[in-house]
Amino acid sequence: MESTRQQKINRLIQKELSEIFQRDTRQMQGVLITVSTVRVSPDLGLAKVYLSIFPSDKGEELLKNIKTNTKGIRFALGQKTGKQLRVIPELAFYIDDSLDYIENIENLLKK
């Protein structure tokens, strides 16, 4: 059960990371990165960020690039949320494949 504070921080980090990824992927035509969910640990030290990447065949490559640039992304997040958060949590990125899973289930049900 998440506290109200955790939920507020989840939404704040999701909003700010979405803006960061939107700004950074403008140069890359045909790539869309969406921050689908953020879950902050109870001590507010770790944020698990779930990304939905389109097209999904480039997902692993883009996730690898994002993981190598985690420090820069965390710094940019700190610049944007420095007034609202005392400590910027460590970021852990994961691929959110729920849309692919839903599509697979729908295809199986149509058969």
Side-chain angles (χ1 to χ4, degrees):
M1 185 77 183
E2 290 184 336
S3 67
T4 306
R5 179 164 172 77
Q6 282 177 289
Q7 292 173 357
K8 286 180 181 180
I9 292 173
N10 288 344
R11 287 191 302 266
L12 175 68
I13 292 174
Q14 182 177 7
K15 176 182 167 282
E16 297 300 339
L17 282 177
S18 295
E19 291 175 5
I20 290 169
F21 285 126
Q22 183 180 16
R23 183 191 70 217
D24 291 346
T25 58
R26 280 198 183 126
Q27 298 89 8
M28 301 164 51
Q29 296 295 326
V31 175
L32 180 65
I33 299 176
T34 306
V35 180
S36 57
T37 308
V38 175
R39 292 201 177 102
V40 179
S41 64
D43 67 349
L44 308 177
L46 175 69
K48 293 183 179 180
V49 182
Y50 294 90
L51 302 174
S52 178
I53 300 174
F54 180 81
S56 58
D57 57 332
K58 293 183 179 181
E60 291 297 326
E61 176 188 342
L62 288 171
L63 183 66
K64 183 180 173 188
N65 290 339
I66 289 169
K67 285 183 177 181
T68 59
N69 295 323
T70 300
K71 287 186 179 184
I73 295 169
R74 184 173 179 230
F75 179 77
L77 180 65
Q79 294 291 312
K80 290 181 148 262
T81 62
K83 302 289 184 197
Q84 291 121 335
L85 297 176
R86 189 175 348 140
V87 177
I88 307 303
E90 293 290 327
L91 302 174
F93 294 100
Y94 302 96
I95 289 184
D96 180 17
D97 58 355
S98 60
L99 292 177
D100 295 335
Y101 180 75
I102 291 170
E103 184 178 333
N104 185 28
I105 296 296
E106 286 179 356
N107 289 336
L108 291 173
L109 291 174
K110 286 181 183 177
K111 291 182 181 180

